[in-house]
RNA sequence: GGGCGUGUAGCUCAGUUGGUUAGAGUACCACGUUGACAUCGUGGGGGUCACAGGUUCGACUCCUGUCACGCCCACCA
């Protein structure tokens, strides 16, 4: 049999994957006999193809799944893709644009057709890439976040949350991306540091100051009261009886208190404090002058001595000539800028809050597309162009004072990096207070464990400070909001389209009350309603908006198992009941599971059973086949949800911890009454070799497919896993793949060695228990048992990097460098039984290595497994390595010895090699070795190993002497002294120098030990074992030195 | 402004609860066609463990501070 000299992943991988598929090895079905181990894939967006981050994420998951399968779990890894909302729509829009089309011309329906075309293409590509990666995904379970099952879940979730009063609609300030033309949630805004400018602008006071002065302070006090707003909040409440934001509530409660507790007075204004404030104007500082057109107040801190007297005065807003008040608000920082803030409630979050407190008008001056609106001559100008114009005009009017460089962070869209515009618009919101509280509790009750644990803190911090979630998006690609409006109240349901201009009026109220007066209320329903339940009208229009893509992602861990169809009422009741009782204790959980299973069986019978179908058939005699089939399918899936949920672990990068993980937990608890996963394994982000994030714009993207093609999938996987240490981002370069590829080849060749050897030995079995082991056999097996315990722990703790490195080291240095070399002596010898023993050890350890490495390098390990299976015809070996089991400790009890012995032998051989090389004895020269010994036993011991020494250190005769010979190279290791006669080979002086140097090094080492031992405190306080240890070191060193010194005499 | 993380050989990184003369891979140098492997073997050079204090008999490891880099969060105009 010919075995190629090098491993060729290209030809090996594809057939192996097909083999797994054919054998149904990825398939999972609920069983009573096995515990489940479940992962739902973080569904990649269908935005094209997979990048390195995906490759890492899925490799890790696959490794975990394969490991757990070897451990005997019923593993289930659910594949799928995400529609990816804005991201995907952007991709398709771009493509259209390159074809000279735009989506508005196409219209919603046609555009969505294009989207689906794209989805099918990209989705397939992604799934294929996952196959190339070797992922053991249960393909029959493939889902898409926008497919019928997931959509059903989304609608159901929406309706339930709405009915609970957690989802509401409101007109509020949101993050708006003028390029994507949609609202975004707070986490979808990224912050970029930018050196901007802080412009100081004069705002002239209204020329009524003299009048005021005459009227004395009384009026001023009155006015101040009015503008600091103690009465305001009540008014606010009265005007908006239905729903107001959380923050408004907070402010309502806090602000009167806050105004009674002025800020620390140490915040005295600097230089300006002594200067009498100008009587003509107030200077405000702003980074966004264009928003001044929408200013409706200037705010100062109530305790700011510079401005106290101006509170309640009026200002004439430059360029606009509108009269606006000076108000006092605690949010103003006395130390920043001039201490006076222009307030633009319609375009700045904190101004919005101030506006709420003071019931300021909210004037919209920037439209959805980023162009100016209601802005006089600036109308329709781009916001940045208008900025320039406004600055120019202010300058001309002499109102622009100074311009200061000002570093600050700018919010940008996470999908297109366009600067976010805070805008007022009508959106759907989800009140998350209760859910986030439950999620926090779950974490604190240890329902979820983080790996590494350090991620729990930021995760909790995030949850604890969560604000309401804006869930509506003004795009087309996504789950349409399941709300319908009756024609009678159509005006309520409309959101302004592109180019629609908001009137000043429509923005006056920050929150729109839902209440129709004589019109029908919106219909919130999981299915499209046939008619309006109020008036019976059939002219219903669905809400134009779609849901945030993360809304459907948050349902993923149970929507993939066909929630809510599979969740029966009793299940839900039980879930809620058990919420508090469920514990981490395995036993209890299993019990629960058992009970649940019973119920499930009952239920299944009920729904699949004859009774149900007949009943169904009777009612719907015509449509029977399809829907009945659907019901049948759904009811068989019933078991899935309870069998697989909660899933075992979620594997993800930290960049979507908040965006996704936190939300899954909240929704999981909300709808399932149980966290969606027990463990969260968080890995780093893939960066290039300079530590930069990979991005298309930087051009540093590495395509995993290229790497797989060039180095093989296993090399890609090994490189990623071995550099993915906990809590760290990973830097990856071409070198890491080369190393991994070489390792694959090394393993392949080790196996090749074993296989070739098997051709000449006939093994009827591979049991080692009855064999007579060589000391090297015992050594290897012992070392293996240490390795196994070590990597088992690593795998369990999701420290796959450690596993991979440990396996690498063992395979390369212990198995290949030493054991294979040791074994050759017996394999090529005449002693058949010795040959058999060595072969068995080789095979056994190789099998163990293949198994433990399989999760990381599935292809090559399966390939070699198959070859072994073929070679070991008479021996029962599982059909696939995937059907085997993780190796137990393989050390027979009688073998527990000799490890030290072999380590000494290794040291001795290494030392001989080292001396040879240092003395530049050519390796072609076979030298003789003389051992100095007067202890017969020592020589005998060495003599037994002499064949190893001869072979591995390239030594000829080995003899023993009692006195030092002359003209020899000398070495001492573990008390064994050896000599290599060098006469005629090399210059003896060199050897003298070499030994003197070695002696020098030892001397230094000795003195550090001596210092330590002379230290009374060390001897007194250090643990005795440590002192003993140090003493031994000293005597070892000293004896070594003596020996070398002694030998020097003979040179 | 807060929080977290990182700083160990030219490069990429290991280093478990404090006790090694600080390791690996790679790169570099030398030697090597020994019947698994040149995608290899053998040997070698290369580090004040960012810096400064402290705790300790003993610090790469623990504490404090400083510097550098990175990330996350935050309404500071």
């Amino acid at each position: 049999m010919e075995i190629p000299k090098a491993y060729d992943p290209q030809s090996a991988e594809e057939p192996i994957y097909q083999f797994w598929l054919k054998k149904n090895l990825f398939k999972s079905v609920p069983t009573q006999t096995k515990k489940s181990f479940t992962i739902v894939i973080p569904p990649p967006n269908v935005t094209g193809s997979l990048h390195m981050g995906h490759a890492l994420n899925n490799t890790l998951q696959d490794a975990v799944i394969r490991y757990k399968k070897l451990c005997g779990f019923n593993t289930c890894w659910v594949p799928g893709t995400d529609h990816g909302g804005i991201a995907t729509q952007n991709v398709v829009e771009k493509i259209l644009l390159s074809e000279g089309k735009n989506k508005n011309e196409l219209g919603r329906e046609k555009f969505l057709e294009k989207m689906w075309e794209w989805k099918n293409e990209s989705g397939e590509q992604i799934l294929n890439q996952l196959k190339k990666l070797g992922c053991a995904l249960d393909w029959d379970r493939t889902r898409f976040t926008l497919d019928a099952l997931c959509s059903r879940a989304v609608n159901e979730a929406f309706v339930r949350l709405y009915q609970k009063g957690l989802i509401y609609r409101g007109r509020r300030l949101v993050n708006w991306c003028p390029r994507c033309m949609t609202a975004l949630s707070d986490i979808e805004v990224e912050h970029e540091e930018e050196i901007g400018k802080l412009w100081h602008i004069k705002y002239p006071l209204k020329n009524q100051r003299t009048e005021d002065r005459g009227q004395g302070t009384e009026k001023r006090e009155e006015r101040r009261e009015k503008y600091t707003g103690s009465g305001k909040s009540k008014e606010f409440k009265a005007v908006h009886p239905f729903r107001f934001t959380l923050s408004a509530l907070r402010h309502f409660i806090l602000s009167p208190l806050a105004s009674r507790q002025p800020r620390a007075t140490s915040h005295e204004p600097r230089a300006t404090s002594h200067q009498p404030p100008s009587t003509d104007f107030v200077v405000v500082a702003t980074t966004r002058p264009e928003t001044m057109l929408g200013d409706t107040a200037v705010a100062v801190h109530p305790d700011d001595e510079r401005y106290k007297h101006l509170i309640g005065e009026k200002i004439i807003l430059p360029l606009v000539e509108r009269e606006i008040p000076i108000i006092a608000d605690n949010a103003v920082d006395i130390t920043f800028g001039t201490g006076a803030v222009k307030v633009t409630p319609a375009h700045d979050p904190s101004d919005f809050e101030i506006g709420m407190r003071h019931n300021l008008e909210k004037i919209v001056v920037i439209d959805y597309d980023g162009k100016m609106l209601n802005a006089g001559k600036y109308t329709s100008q781009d916001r940045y162009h208008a900025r320039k114009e406004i600055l120019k005009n202010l300058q001309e009017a002499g109102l622009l004072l100074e311009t200061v460089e000002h570093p600050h962070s700018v919010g940008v869209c996470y999908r297109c990096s366009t600067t976010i515009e805070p805008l007022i618009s009508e959106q759907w919101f989800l009140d998350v207070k209760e859910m986030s509280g439950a999620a926090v509790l779950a974490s604190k009750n240890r329902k979820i464990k983080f790996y590494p644990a350090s991620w729990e803190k930021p995760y909790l911090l995030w949850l604890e400070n969560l604000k309401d979630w804006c869930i509506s998006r003004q795009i087309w690609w996504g789950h349409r909001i399941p709300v319908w409006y009756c024609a009678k109240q159509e005006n309520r349901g409309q959101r302004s389209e592109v180019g629609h201009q908001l009137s000043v009026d429509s923005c006056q109220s920050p929150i729109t009350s839902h209440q129709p007066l004589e019109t029908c209320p919106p219909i919130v329903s999981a299915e499209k309603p046939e008619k309006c339940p109020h008036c019976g009208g059939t002219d219903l229009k669905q809400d134009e908006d779609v849901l945030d893509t993360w809304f459907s992602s948050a349902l993923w861990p149970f929507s993939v198992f066909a929630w809510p169809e599979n969740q029966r009422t009793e299940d839900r009741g039980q879930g809620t009941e058990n919420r508090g009782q469920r514990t981490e204790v395995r036993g209890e959980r299993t019990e629960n599971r058992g009970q649940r299973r019973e119920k499930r069986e009952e239920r299944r019978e009920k729904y699949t059973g004859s009774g149900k179908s007949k009943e169904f058939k009777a009612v719907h005699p015509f449509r029977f086949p399809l829907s009945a089939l659907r019901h049948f399918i759904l009811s068989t899936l019933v078991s899935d949800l309870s069998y697989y949920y909660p899933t075992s672990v979620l594997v993800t990068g930290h960049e979507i911890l908040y965006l996704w993980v936190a939300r899954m937990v909240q929704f999981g608890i909300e709808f399932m009454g149980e966290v969606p996963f027990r463990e969260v394994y968080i890995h780093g982000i893939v960066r290039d070799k300079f530590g930069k994030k990979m991005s298309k714009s930087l051009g540093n993207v590495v395509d995993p497919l290229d790497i797989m093609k060039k180095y093989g999938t296993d090399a890609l996987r090994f490189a990623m896993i071995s550099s993915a240490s906990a809590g760290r981002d990973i830097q990856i370069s071409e070198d890491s793949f080369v190393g991994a590829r070489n390792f694959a080849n090394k393993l392949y060749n080790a196996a090749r060695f074993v296989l070739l050897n098997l051709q000449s030995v006939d093994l009827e079995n591979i049991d080692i228990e009855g064999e007579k082991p060589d000391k090297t056999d015992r050594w290897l097996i012992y070392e293996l048992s240490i390795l196994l315990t070590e990597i088992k722990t690593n795998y369990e703790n999701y420290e796959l990097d450690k596993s991979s490195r440990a396996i690498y080291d063992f395979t390369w240095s212990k198995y290949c460098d030493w054991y294979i070399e040791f074994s050759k002596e017996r394999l090529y010898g005449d002693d058949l039984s010795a040959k058999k023993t060595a072969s068995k050890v080789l095979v056994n350890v190789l099998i163990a290595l293949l198994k433990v490495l399989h999760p990381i390098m599935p292809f090559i390990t399966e390939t070699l497994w198959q070859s072994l299976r073929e070679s070991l015809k008479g021996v029962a070996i599982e059909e696939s390595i995937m059907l085997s089991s993780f190796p137990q400790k393989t050390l027979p009890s009688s073998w527990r010895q000799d490890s030290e012995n072999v380590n000494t032998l290794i040291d001795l051989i290494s030392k001989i090699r080292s001396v040879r090389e240092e003395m530049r004895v050519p390796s072609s020269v076979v030298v003789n070795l003389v051992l100095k010994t007067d202890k017969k036993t020592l020589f005998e011991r060495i003599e037994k190993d002499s064949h190893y020494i001869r072979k591995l250190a390239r030594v000829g005769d080995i003899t023993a002497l009692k006195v030092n010979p002359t003209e020899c190279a000398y070495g001492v290791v573990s008390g064994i002294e050896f000599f290599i006669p060098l006469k005629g080979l090399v210059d003896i002086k060199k050897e003298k120098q070499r030994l003197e140097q070695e002696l020098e090094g030892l001397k230094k080492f000795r003195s550090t030990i001596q210092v330590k031992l002379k230290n009374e405190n060390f001897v007194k306080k250090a643990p005795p074992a440590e002192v003993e240890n140090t003493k031994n070191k000293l005597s070892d060193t000293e004896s070594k030195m003596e020996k070398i010194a002694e030998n020097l005499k003979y040179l």
Side-chain angles (χ1 to χ4, degrees):
Chain A
M1 182 174 64
E2 269 306 304
I3 306 173
K5 282 193 159 195
Y7 175 58
D8 175 25
Q10 282 301 322
S11 59
E13 291 172 6
E14 183 59 26
I16 289 290
Y17 200 83
Q18 291 307 322
F19 167 74
W20 289 328
L21 285 178
K22 208 176 100 201
K23 296 286 169 193
N24 251 328
L25 294 174
F26 303 155
K27 179 107 197 97
S28 174
V29 180
T31 58
Q32 310 230 357
T33 47
K34 273 185 175 180
K35 273 200 236 169
S36 69
F37 188 92
T38 317
I39 299 181
V40 290
I41 198 172
N45 285 347
V46 285
T47 46
S49 51
L50 300 185
H51 53 67
M52 274 307 199
H54 293 117
L56 171 69
N57 177 247
N58 289 293
T59 298
L60 292 174
Q61 290 176 80
D62 191 49
V64 170
I65 283 285
R66 285 173 185 273
Y67 166 72
K68 290 290 178 179
K69 189 170 175 68
L70 290 181
C71 291
F73 285 89
N74 178 2
T75 54
C76 178
W77 187 16
V78 182
T81 46
D82 195 309
H83 67 283
I86 303 168
T88 314
Q89 176 160 330
N90 280 352
V91 170
V92 175
E93 273 186 51
K94 240 184 216 165
I95 294 171
L96 282 179
L97 222 63
S98 71
E99 294 167 355
K101 298 179 208 154
N102 82 47
K103 74 172 193 322
N104 294 319
E105 287 166 17
L106 278 180
R108 188 165 189 152
E109 220 165 291
K110 285 258 182 245
F111 179 74
L112 285 178
E113 275 173 30
K114 289 269 172 205
M115 290 296 308
W116 278 101
E117 271 172 39
W118 167 265
K119 179 263 154 186
N120 290 333
E121 215 173 285
S122 166
E124 196 179 338
Q125 192 176 343
I126 286 168
L127 300 181
N128 280 333
Q129 276 176 292
L130 291 173
K131 288 174 187 164
K132 284 230 70 171
L133 252 185
C135 296
L137 287 151
D138 185 353
W139 294 105
D140 296 340
R141 297 180 180 276
T142 308
R143 295 270 185 277
F144 176 54
T145 53
L146 211 50
D147 67 20
L149 272 182
C150 292
S151 296
R152 182 71 183 79
V154 165
N155 288 351
E156 178 76 18
F158 187 98
V159 172
R160 286 195 195 177
L161 292 170
Y162 182 86
Q163 283 167 350
K164 240 182 140 178
L166 296 178
I167 285 183
Y168 61 94
R169 199 175 197 212
R171 179 172 288 276
R172 300 209 336 217
L173 194 75
V174 293
N175 306 297
W176 184 270
C177 175
R179 204 221 60 86
C180 302
M181 290 291 262
T182 181
L184 297 171
S185 65
D186 294 339
I187 7 169
E188 290 174 304
V189 177
E190 284 175 357
H191 295 275
E192 282 179 2
E193 276 301 309
E194 189 186 277
I195 307 236
K197 295 218 163 71
L198 193 60
W199 286 280
H200 290 68
I201 303 169
K202 277 188 192 173
Y203 276 21
L205 286 164
K206 190 184 176 186
N207 202 9
Q208 58 169 212
R209 285 194 44 80
T210 39
E211 181 195 329
D212 259 29
R213 222 171 252 166
Q215 287 172 358
T217 49
E218 214 172 285
K219 205 167 187 180
R220 211 182 297 147
E221 285 304 318
E222 217 175 79
R223 217 182 291 126
R224 187 186 303 181
E225 194 178 302
K226 183 173 164 200
Y227 286 97
T228 43
S230 46
K232 269 289 129 6
S233 344
K234 269 177 211 154
E235 198 180 312
F236 165 69
K237 197 176 174 186
V239 174
H240 310 279
F242 306 108
R243 192 164 258 293
F244 45 93
T245 63
L246 227 90
S247 41
L249 180 65
R250 209 179 72 222
H251 276 286
F252 167 59
I253 295 164
L254 291 179
S255 28
L257 282 173
S259 55
R260 257 178 268 130
Q261 296 172 331
R263 283 181 167 225
T265 41
S266 61
H267 287 273
E268 275 307 293
R270 278 165 290 174
T272 38
S273 61
H274 333 282
Q275 290 171 349
S278 163
T279 49
D280 303 326
F281 54 84
V282 169
V283 178
V284 298
T286 181
T287 53
R288 306 190 51 207
E290 69 278 11
T291 61
M292 69 171 286
L293 304 178
D295 285 0
T296 49
V298 167
V300 297
H301 193 274
D303 302 327
D304 193 335
E305 292 300 330
R306 295 169 298 180
Y307 300 113
K308 239 177 179 168
H309 64 289
L310 291 176
I311 295 165
E313 300 285 349
K314 298 281 191 205
I315 267 172
I316 302 296
L317 187 61
L319 308 180
V320 185
E321 306 297 320
R322 184 168 58 235
E323 199 179 292
I324 58 172
I326 295 176
I327 58 172
D329 195 284
N330 285 308
V332 178
D333 181 350
I334 297 182
T335 61
F336 189 89
T338 60
V341 193
K342 59 190 274 311
V343 182
T344 323
H347 294 288
D348 181 277
S350 67
D351 290 5
F352 183 83
E353 303 288 342
I354 296 177
M356 297 276 278
R357 287 195 285 273
H358 299 270
N359 203 26
L360 298 174
E361 201 184 344
K362 292 161 181 68
I363 301 179
V364 171
V365 294
I366 301 174
D367 202 356
Y368 293 127
D369 56 2
K371 292 193 172 131
M372 303 305 288
L373 183 71
N374 300 316
K377 64 172 182 170
Y378 309 105
T379 300
S380 295
Q381 289 182 8
D382 176 80
R383 49 187 167 155
Y384 297 111
H385 184 252
R387 176 182 293 180
K388 277 186 204 152
E389 291 291 306
I390 286 168
L391 286 169
K392 200 175 92 190
N393 295 341
L394 286 171
Q395 176 97 55
E396 285 160 4
L399 296 173
L400 188 59
L401 288 180
E402 49 176 338
T403 307
V404 189
E405 293 233 315
H406 177 60
H408 63 135
S409 76
V410 179
V412 300
C413 172
Y414 81 140
R415 288 308 181 206
C416 72
S417 296
T418 303
T419 303
I420 289 302
E421 193 57 53
L423 278 182
I424 289 178
S425 69
E426 185 145 28
Q427 302 289 348
W428 289 95
F429 294 91
L430 174 59
D431 179 344
V432 293
K433 194 175 58 196
E434 191 188 306
M435 279 188 272
S436 60
V440 168
L441 206 66
S443 219
K444 294 204 163 145
N445 290 339
R446 311 204 163 251
K447 298 263 182 181
I448 296 184
K449 216 173 150 191
F450 282 85
Y451 295 86
S454 54
W455 279 106
E456 187 172 358
K457 198 176 158 188
Y459 163 82
L460 285 177
L461 219 80
W462 156 264
L463 276 175
E464 280 161 358
N465 296 305
L466 209 46
K467 289 186 198 148
D468 287 6
W469 174 14
C470 173
I471 52 172
S472 47
R473 298 288 176 274
Q474 287 65 54
I475 57 171
W476 289 346
W477 178 240
H479 299 96
R480 194 97 170 245
I481 289 179
V483 176
W484 283 263
Y485 306 99
C486 180
K488 266 197 173 177
Q489 46 111 55
E490 205 168 78
N491 58 321
R492 291 249 43 79
Q494 272 184 347
R495 206 195 58 76
S496 54
E497 282 304 317
V498 180
H500 171 86
Q501 302 196 341
L502 281 171
S503 69
V504 173
D505 267 32
S506 71
C507 292
Q508 275 185 341
S509 148
I511 294 176
T512 308
S513 61
H514 275 181
Q515 241 17 100
L517 299 170
E518 293 168 67
T519 55
C520 308
I523 308 148
V524 178
S525 160
E527 312 273 345
K528 189 187 171 175
E530 298 202 344
K531 55 183 184 181
C532 173
H534 267 251
C535 67
T538 51
D539 189 2
L540 303 178
K541 259 187 138 177
Q542 189 172 4
D543 198 296
E544 294 289 320
D545 291 353
V546 300
L547 284 166
D548 183 353
T549 186
W550 296 105
F551 190 94
S552 58
S553 312
L555 303 166
W556 187 247
F558 44 99
S559 66
V560 296
F561 297 119
W563 179 89
E565 273 81 354
N566 283 341
Q567 191 185 40
R568 305 290 174 215
T569 37
E570 63 262 34
D571 232 13
R572 188 164 167 72
Q574 222 181 43
T576 335
E577 242 176 61
N578 281 349
R579 208 182 281 189
Q581 301 168 357
R582 278 196 197 165
T583 57
E584 283 289 333
V585 181
R586 287 267 168 191
E588 268 189 55
R589 281 201 49 214
T590 331
E591 222 178 273
N592 263 350
R593 214 170 252 175
Q595 286 168 7
R596 264 183 273 150
R597 207 175 293 129
E598 260 177 49
K599 268 220 169 105
R600 229 184 289 133
E601 295 297 331
E602 264 178 49
R603 231 182 279 131
R604 190 189 292 194
E605 209 180 294
K606 189 173 156 198
Y607 285 99
T608 55
S610 43
K612 181 72 193 175
S613 324
K614 268 178 206 157
E615 196 183 307
F616 189 69
K617 199 175 175 183
V619 178
H620 309 275
F622 308 111
R623 292 160 66 199
F624 168 66
L626 242 160
S627 21
L629 186 65
R630 188 168 146 260
H631 268 270
F632 176 74
I633 292 169
L634 288 180
S635 47
T636 53
L637 288 173
V638 163
S639 50
D640 284 3
L641 188 60
S642 40
Y643 183 73
Y644 294 117
Y645 190 96
T647 66
S648 308
V649 62
L650 180 86
V651 182
T652 185
H654 56 71
E655 75 275 16
I656 49 176
L657 181 62
Y658 309 134
L659 219 39
W660 190 44
V661 181
R663 283 164 172 170
M664 279 190 284
V665 176
Q666 294 176 73
F667 275 23
I669 296 171
E670 175 67 26
F671 295 113
M672 296 295 298
E674 178 64 288
V675 293
F677 25 74
R678 300 272 165 221
E679 300 179 325
V680 182
Y681 169 19
I682 294 184
H683 60 253
I685 293 169
V686 182
R687 298 171 182 281
D688 70 5
K689 64 172 165 184
F690 304 108
K692 289 257 185 292
K693 212 167 167 174
M694 289 192 176
S695 76
K696 278 177 197 157
S697 57
L698 281 171
N700 60 352
V701 179
V702 179
D703 187 343
L705 281 178
D706 290 345
I707 300 300
M708 288 188 241
K709 204 168 168 194
K710 202 165 166 191
Y711 302 101
T713 301
D714 288 325
L716 170 74
R717 294 173 57 121
F718 186 89
M720 307 214 86
I721 288 180
S722 60
S723 45
S725 51
R728 258 182 110 117
D729 284 350
I730 69 172
Q731 289 193 47
I732 209 126
S733 69
E734 200 91 358
D735 288 350
S736 19
F737 303 123
V738 174
R741 191 260 328 254
N742 294 354
F743 176 56
N745 191 245
K746 188 72 180 177
L747 178 73
Y748 170 85
N749 272 292
R752 182 171 182 264
F753 172 79
V754 175
L755 289 167
L756 288 172
N757 169 65
L758 282 178
Q759 291 176 359
S760 61
V761 213
D762 226 7
L763 294 185
E764 61 287 355
N765 65 58
I766 52 171
D767 293 342
I768 50 174
E769 195 69 54
E771 298 294 325
K772 278 191 219 125
D774 181 283
K775 60 160 59 162
T776 61
D777 299 333
R778 290 194 286 252
W779 167 78
L780 184 72
I781 301 268
Y782 173 72
E783 295 286 337
L784 176 69
S785 75
I786 292 175
L787 176 80
L788 293 180
T789 2
E790 190 186 332
I791 57 183
K792 177 115 187 149
T793 315
N794 295 333
Y795 270 125
E796 293 292 338
N797 293 327
Y798 301 110
E799 294 176 315
L800 306 194
D801 57 315
K802 287 185 184 171
S803 300
S804 67
R805 280 193 300 265
I807 299 168
Y808 178 101
D809 289 341
F810 183 92
T811 305
W812 205 304
S813 9
K814 296 210 165 102
Y815 191 69
C816 293
D817 288 349
W818 290 106
Y819 187 78
I820 285 186
E821 295 307 323
F822 284 143
S823 76
K824 283 175 180 172
E825 204 56 31
R826 282 180 290 163
L827 294 181
Y828 299 147
D830 301 327
D831 184 342
L832 271 182
S833 104
K835 189 170 177 172
K836 229 170 212 183
T837 306
S839 300
K840 283 186 177 183
V841 172
L842 275 170
V843 170
N844 266 288
V845 177
L846 178 61
I847 283 177
L849 287 179
L850 292 180
K851 286 177 177 180
V852 298
L853 190 57
H854 177 255
I856 299 168
M857 301 180 107
F859 289 109
I860 190 172
T861 49
E862 180 75 88
T863 306
L864 297 175
W865 183 270
Q866 296 303 328
S867 307
L868 270 176
R869 221 170 96 82
E870 211 172 297
S871 291
L872 295 164
K873 284 243 158 65
V875 182
I877 291 182
E878 291 85 351
E879 199 180 0
S880 160
I881 192 169
M882 286 187 73
L883 294 168
S884 72
S885 54
F886 199 82
Q888 304 291 313
K889 282 192 214 171
T890 49
L891 184 68
S893 50
S894 58
W895 288 30
R896 194 176 289 277
Q897 51 181 315
D898 279 331
S899 191
E900 273 312 301
N901 259 335
V902 175
N903 284 329
T904 305
L905 180 62
I906 287 173
D907 288 345
L908 178 62
I909 292 169
S910 298
K911 184 69 186 174
I912 298 170
R913 283 168 172 172
S914 166
V915 170
R916 282 185 59 126
E917 294 266 2
E918 273 178 64
M919 292 312 294
R920 307 204 150 277
V921 179
S923 52
S924 55
V925 175
V926 175
V927 295
N928 290 331
L929 191 72
V930 181
L931 294 166
K932 181 181 176 187
T933 174
D934 42 21
K935 284 182 215 148
K936 211 170 158 245
T937 50
L938 175 68
F939 180 66
E940 276 171 358
R941 204 182 87 201
I942 298 295
E943 202 182 23
K944 264 202 198 151
D945 300 331
S946 62
H947 52 290
Y948 290 135
I949 299 170
R950 269 197 285 270
K951 176 99 188 216
L952 298 185
R954 293 192 62 68
V955 163
D957 291 340
I958 300 179
T959 51
L961 279 178
K962 285 193 175 155
V963 290
N964 294 23
T966 54
E967 297 188 83
C968 281
Y970 173 81
V972 51
V973 68
S974 302
I976 304 170
E977 296 180 84
F978 66 84
F979 306 88
I980 301 170
L982 290 178
K983 194 174 181 185
L985 280 173
V986 292
D987 186 357
I988 299 297
K989 272 185 206 152
K990 257 170 74 183
E991 171 63 3
K992 202 170 174 183
Q993 272 173 20
R994 192 185 68 82
L995 285 181
E996 273 162 357
Q997 260 173 30
E998 196 173 344
L999 203 54
E1000 204 50 44
L1002 288 170
K1003 219 184 238 173
K1004 265 188 205 159
F1005 182 46
R1006 181 184 60 179
S1007 75
T1008 62
I1009 304 174
Q1010 281 171 336
V1011 167
K1012 207 172 185 179
L1013 282 171
K1014 271 180 199 153
N1015 185 338
E1016 272 180 41
N1017 281 324
F1018 173 71
V1019 182
K1020 245 194 291 184
K1021 294 184 183 174
E1026 184 53 34
V1027 178
E1028 191 59 28
N1029 198 358
T1030 311
K1031 279 180 182 163
N1032 287 341
K1033 250 190 235 171
L1034 181 64
S1035 62
D1036 284 354
T1037 309
E1038 279 177 339
S1039 99
K1040 203 168 177 181
M1041 287 175 73
E1042 274 166 33
K1043 284 172 176 160
I1044 291 174
E1046 168 74 12
N1047 187 63
L1048 271 169
K1049 291 184 204 158
Y1050 294 87
L1051 283 173

